[in-house]
Amino acid sequence: MKIHFREMASKSWLNILTFLCGSAVGFVLCSQLLSILFEEQKDIQPSILHNDPHARHSDDNEQNHLEGQMNFDADASQHKDENTDIADKLYQKVKILCWVMTGPQNLEKKAKHVKATWAQRCNKVLFMSSEENKDFPAVGLKTREGRDQLYWKTIKAFQYVHDHYLEDADWFMKADDDTYVILDNLRWLLSKYNPEEPIYFGRRFKPYVKQGYMSGGAGYVLSKEALKRFVEAFKTDKCTHSSSIEDLALGRCMEIINVEAGDSRDTTGKETFHPFVPEHHLIKGYLPRTFWYWNYNYYPPVEGPGCCSDLAVSFHYVDPTTMYELEYLVYHLRPYGYLYRYQPALPEKMLKEVSQIYKNEDTNVNQEPLKEKHK
Amino acid sequence: MLSESSLFLKGVLLGSILCVLMTMLAHIKIDYGKRTHHHERHHLQAPTKEDTLKISEDERTELSKSFRVYCIILVKPKDVRLWAAVKETWAKHCDKAEFFSSENVKVFESVNMETNDMWLMMRKAYKYAFDKYRDQYNWFFLAHPTTFAIIENLKYFLLKKNYSQPFYLGHTAKSGDLEYVSVGGGIVLSIESIKRLNSLLSIPEKCPEKGRMVREVSEDKQLAVCLKYAGVFAENAEDSKGKDVFNTKSVGIFIKEAMTNHPNQVVEGCCSDMAITFNGLTCNQMYVMMYGVYHLRAFGHVFNDVLVFLPINGSDND
């Protein structure tokens, strides 16, 4: 009897095991089969379920991964319709070296944001500080800091630029670490002039100097010839080294060495260099009538919409937030399809070279009648 | 041996059946999950380059003129300064803009809604707009005077959208299960949506004048509830990068947030290049935006746009 039981027990164990083995095998085989079947379906599904234009490019993934990547970027980029040929041409033709007046305490607070925004568009940019900073990087002028040192720093900075980078640029722009500069517009302005001429541009002020002088904060730009004469003037003591008012002192020197104070206004007479942020110029009554500004401006000052050129070159007293806001407004946000009222032209010599690009742009068909209106 | 192999085979059969059952169950779960996710947020994208290339040269001007946008701006006497700023700035770019005020304000032209309740004002304004302008405009944009709008970018966004479809777009938000367009970013309705809304306005069960809640429900949520009954659902408007084009904050706020959250990509991470609205602006900021959008630009950057919008006659700030 007992033997019978054991036999039966072991047999049933074997049966159970066999059964379980079978079900396991069946399960595994089946799941493999199903996963193969469903794999094909999964590939089709994403492009239908997701309301995503990028799904279109999932086919490209197999052939050329890089190409698929590029398509993605081109589709996503807001600048897909942007043609920068003219801007690129000007970059090559009108070389500008920018140097930014800053100090050790302001590298992280202010200069950093200049570096992250407009400074990249200079052909060459240098940050000038009283002491060297290899990481930022900033040039050490070996001066002290302070408002009374500004002129001395300016002289040393221009000297440094002259000694190291004279042949690397045609024009030499000075700006503060709270100035926002639109390099493309500066190039447009300067493209009409010859860097071998002794001339400089900025926001022209009238007091104290007969031909006027340029506001320091709004930034000013010297031609190569002007820079040469400026540096020479200190070697020969034609200009004084000491002054507590940087821009005035520079302006005086410019007059002495026969460097012309240029007219930086656009072809409709609107100012391009601005000593304040847009809000201060655009809002009527923002700057009180008793403010020094109204008596300083060389040309009749305008507040409200006529204050500022479409092709503004600079704004001053720009805090870090406003730096990025201006960057967004100038280089990113735009009204689609809008035909701007002001349609400025390039100078003759440049026009021939870029006329091909103009011919391809249909919007310019409307330019002629508009040009007449705004003359 | 035979019994063992048959047992084995029975096991295989059971295993396969179990497997199929489990897979089916799993798939049903996934499908259900996907469907609910899909309805969680409706996204509407701006036209892509492929779309714009399909439009022929001849169609351009005709196309640009075919978008007729009527702007409704809801104002209250306390908003007079903003009201004036809006009137002198972006509202000029609407094909027609009208101000709907809670009460008559001297010197300022407006349609008097004779109520202080924002939801009532909104209802009346939409009814007025539909009754008067249903044949003249195909898109209706509603905003508060704290909003700045770029109507050209709105028209570009609507490029491939058929106004006889029920569109309800802007910056969406969720309140429980309800997805609605925030009035702060501006609300866009196609003529079809307005038509459907108008037919519901007279049905108090569907579209009550006073919300069922004891608490005050904001007018943008009330609108969403009404529209839902008409089969019109809110959709969040985005550019081809997935960035919102209707914004409930100002550029300044976005920049400040970006400086904290991603300081190496401040402008890139900020806002869409084709942004349509920003909210929370002061009067002065409206004028700065006009200059920043319609004037200030970089020379030598040329765009090959499919639409053409001419500047307004007799305007000096754009």
Side-chain angles (χ1 to χ4, degrees):
Chain A
M1 269 289 179
K2 273 189 187 163
I3 305 162
H4 231 336
F5 258 126
R6 243 195 241 143
E7 259 189 64
M8 275 185 76
S10 60
K11 234 201 173 170
S12 53
W13 272 119
L14 196 67
N15 289 345
I16 292 167
L17 234 91
T18 318
F19 189 78
L20 283 169
C21 254
S23 46
V25 170
F27 194 90
V28 170
L29 275 170
C30 184
S31 66
Q32 285 303 310
L33 228 102
L34 284 171
S35 67
I36 293 167
L37 274 167
F38 277 109
E39 204 75 52
E40 293 169 25
Q41 273 203 38
K42 266 192 198 137
D43 280 328
I44 313 165
Q45 273 179 14
S47 54
I48 301 169
L49 273 173
H50 299 298
N51 191 12
D52 182 357
H54 305 306
R56 243 177 268 148
H57 300 293
S58 60
D59 339 313
D60 293 340
N61 274 346
E62 303 309 314
Q63 310 167 316
N64 188 345
H65 189 71
L66 260 163
E67 217 173 274
Q69 278 281 302
M70 274 159 65
N71 281 344
F72 179 100
D73 285 327
D75 217 29
S77 166
Q78 294 302 336
H79 299 277
K80 55 190 183 282
D81 302 314
E82 189 174 5
N83 181 326
T84 56
D85 289 351
I86 297 171
D88 296 340
K89 196 95 206 177
L90 278 173
Y91 183 89
Q92 291 164 31
K93 291 267 162 190
V94 186
K95 290 193 174 67
I96 304 176
L97 179 148
C98 312
W99 70 262
V100 181
M101 175 90 85
T102 185
Q105 299 91 328
N106 285 332
L107 290 179
E108 285 302 302
K109 276 201 297 184
K110 296 182 177 185
K112 180 173 85 163
H113 307 292
V114 166
K115 193 163 165 231
T117 56
W118 63 265
Q120 326 156 19
R121 298 189 186 92
C122 305
N123 296 73
K124 174 81 193 158
V125 64
L126 296 163
F127 290 89
M128 300 291 189
S129 172
S130 51
E131 42 184 88
E132 186 187 29
N133 183 312
K134 290 210 168 104
D135 299 315
F136 192 82
V139 173
L141 298 170
K142 298 194 195 82
T143 63
R144 286 172 290 130
E145 285 294 325
R147 225 182 148 75
D148 59 325
Q149 292 291 300
L150 282 177
Y151 191 45
W152 183 227
K153 278 175 86 174
T154 306
I155 298 166
K156 294 213 86 182
F158 272 123
Q159 215 150 41
Y160 181 90
V161 165
H162 174 273
D163 295 344
H164 295 88
Y165 297 101
L166 187 65
E167 297 311 320
D168 292 14
D170 306 309
W171 301 88
F172 301 85
M173 167 100 192
K174 175 258 173 182
D176 285 350
D177 51 20
D178 59 354
T179 310
Y180 183 84
V181 183
I182 304 165
L183 268 300
D184 298 89
N185 295 344
L186 180 58
R187 288 195 182 92
W188 172 77
L189 173 74
L190 298 175
S191 63
K192 302 183 205 68
Y193 300 92
N194 185 347
E196 313 299 328
E197 292 163 26
I199 193 166
Y200 81 124
F201 295 95
R203 174 70 159 227
R204 207 165 166 188
F205 283 161
K206 65 177 176 224
Y208 313 119
V209 183
K210 189 152 174 260
Q211 69 161 0
Y213 68 97
M214 305 307 172
S215 151
Y220 47 77
V221 54
L222 275 60
S223 67
K224 197 196 293 258
E225 179 57 29
L227 175 61
K228 281 183 191 167
R229 291 191 190 187
F230 183 67
V231 170
E232 184 68 25
F234 289 99
K235 293 196 182 134
T236 56
D237 269 334
K238 266 190 184 165
C239 291
T240 164
H241 290 66
S242 67
S243 166
S244 55
I245 309 165
E246 166 242 338
D247 45 12
L248 179 55
L250 189 125
R252 278 203 172 110
C253 185
M254 289 291 135
E255 195 167 64
I256 291 168
I257 58 180
N258 291 313
V259 169
E260 185 190 341
D263 180 357
S264 58
R265 294 175 302 169
D266 72 16
T267 53
T268 63
K270 294 201 182 77
E271 297 272 12
T272 55
F273 288 76
H274 302 282
F276 304 107
V277 289
E279 191 176 354
H280 291 32
H281 292 285
L282 286 164
I283 308 298
K284 289 189 181 147
Y286 197 107
L287 301 171
R289 282 279 130 197
T290 52
F291 202 48
W292 59 263
Y293 170 78
W294 301 106
N295 295 316
Y296 267 53
N297 220 49
Y298 190 90
Y299 304 107
V302 180
E303 57 177 358
C307 69
C308 317
S309 173
D310 284 24
L311 302 187
V313 170
S314 72
F315 293 100
H316 184 221
Y317 293 119
V318 178
D319 65 20
T321 311
T322 312
M323 249 335 139
Y324 294 109
E325 276 186 62
L326 283 168
E327 182 79 8
Y328 173 67
L329 289 174
V330 176
Y331 290 98
H332 294 267
L333 184 65
R334 66 184 188 93
Y336 189 84
Y338 188 69
L339 203 61
Y340 298 104
R341 289 179 201 273
Y342 185 47
Q343 297 285 347
L346 278 171
E348 283 300 320
K349 54 175 180 174
M350 294 238 71
L351 259 176
K352 287 178 201 142
E353 292 190 53
V354 296
S355 64
Q356 253 335 101
I357 301 161
Y358 270 129
K359 278 196 190 128
N360 295 338
E361 298 305 328
D362 284 305
T363 49
N364 291 328
V365 169
N366 289 322
Q367 259 194 50
E368 286 311 319
L370 270 178
K371 257 196 215 157
E372 292 305 313
K373 241 192 244 176
H374 294 286
K375 269 194 185 135
Chain B
M1 258 305 169
L2 204 69
S3 62
E4 274 164 25
S5 52
S6 72
L7 258 172
F8 187 80
L9 283 166
K10 279 180 196 160
V12 174
L13 197 68
L14 184 70
S16 328
I17 293 168
L18 270 167
C19 176
V20 173
L21 274 167
M22 281 183 71
T23 319
M24 282 179 76
L25 265 162
H27 264 267
I28 292 168
K29 250 196 161 176
I30 294 169
D31 273 329
Y32 184 73
K34 273 191 180 147
R35 234 177 277 132
T36 51
H37 180 265
H38 189 65
H39 282 303
E40 250 169 57
R41 214 175 190 223
H42 292 82
H43 301 264
L44 208 60
Q45 299 245 342
T48 60
K49 179 162 191 160
E50 280 82 8
D51 291 332
T52 55
L53 281 176
K54 286 181 207 147
I55 299 167
S56 73
E57 299 273 340
D58 294 322
E59 286 180 297
R60 259 214 228 164
T61 324
E62 278 311 301
L63 190 61
S64 309
K65 287 192 194 141
S66 72
F67 295 95
R68 306 267 306 149
V69 176
Y70 175 80
C71 297
I72 297 168
I73 301 119
L74 301 176
V75 292
K76 289 194 165 167
K78 64 177 174 69
D79 303 322
V80 272
R81 287 195 66 217
L82 280 169
W83 178 349
V86 168
K87 187 158 191 225
E88 276 179 44
T89 59
W90 65 264
K92 291 188 283 189
H93 289 242
C94 303
D95 293 283
K96 188 171 181 70
E98 280 194 285
F99 294 82
F100 293 77
S101 59
S102 52
E103 57 190 77
N104 247 334
V105 179
K106 272 197 197 134
V107 176
F108 288 89
E109 220 181 277
S110 68
V111 182
N112 192 353
M113 298 281 91
E114 285 164 349
T115 171
N116 250 321
D117 183 88
M118 289 308 289
W119 171 227
L120 281 178
M121 272 178 78
M122 189 182 269
R123 292 170 61 105
K124 283 182 153 191
Y126 276 130
K127 180 153 184 24
Y128 175 95
F130 179 71
D131 289 342
K132 206 168 177 197
Y133 299 114
R134 61 154 86 88
D135 297 322
Q136 295 171 52
Y137 301 95
N138 39 37
W139 294 96
F140 295 77
F141 174 66
L142 185 144
H144 281 167
T146 48
T147 306
F148 183 87
I150 305 168
I151 302 298
E152 289 80 10
N153 288 350
L154 173 60
K155 291 184 176 180
Y156 173 60
F157 184 81
L158 299 174
L159 196 57
K160 282 291 184 180
K161 293 175 184 51
N162 188 349
Y163 53 74
S164 55
Q165 294 293 305
F167 282 104
Y168 167 37
L169 8 117
H171 180 104
T172 58
K174 278 200 100 162
S175 176
D177 272 334
L178 180 73
E179 195 173 357
Y180 67 98
V181 171
S182 292
V183 67
I187 305 172
V188 177
L189 291 177
S190 61
I191 183 69
E192 175 62 25
S193 300
I194 293 241
K195 198 187 284 176
R196 295 191 189 186
L197 174 69
N198 192 62
S199 55
L200 277 183
L201 285 176
S202 45
I203 306 172
E205 302 87 55
K206 300 250 170 94
C207 213
E209 285 191 2
K210 258 279 190 283
R212 286 196 200 89
M213 305 280 146
V214 179
R215 277 186 296 113
E216 275 230 12
V217 179
S218 60
E219 70 274 23
D220 44 11
K221 290 185 193 130
Q222 304 247 34
L223 181 67
V225 172
C226 265
L227 286 170
K228 224 179 169 180
Y229 278 118
V232 180
F233 297 96
E235 285 170 300
N236 193 55
E238 296 160 8
D239 66 16
S240 52
K241 241 179 175 175
K243 285 195 188 161
D244 290 339
V245 286
F246 290 86
N247 298 293
T248 51
K249 298 184 273 202
S250 64
V251 179
I253 301 290
F254 276 112
I255 297 289
K256 285 197 173 80
E257 286 176 357
M259 284 172 78
T260 317
N261 301 334
H262 35 94
N264 293 326
Q265 294 262 302
V266 178
V267 180
E268 294 80 0
C270 162
C271 330
S272 172
D273 285 20
M274 286 292 124
I276 298 171
T277 60
F278 289 102
N279 191 34
L281 277 83
T282 63
C283 299
N284 286 0
Q285 284 168 337
M286 298 261 178
Y287 291 98
V288 176
M289 282 300 278
M290 281 305 272
Y291 173 71
V293 173
Y294 294 102
H295 285 285
L296 187 63
R297 59 199 190 274
F299 184 82
H301 294 246
V302 179
F303 293 87
N304 188 17
D305 292 340
V306 135
L307 298 173
V308 179
F309 299 111
L310 296 178
I312 319 283
N313 270 330
S315 179
D316 67 351
N317 58 8
D318 55 15

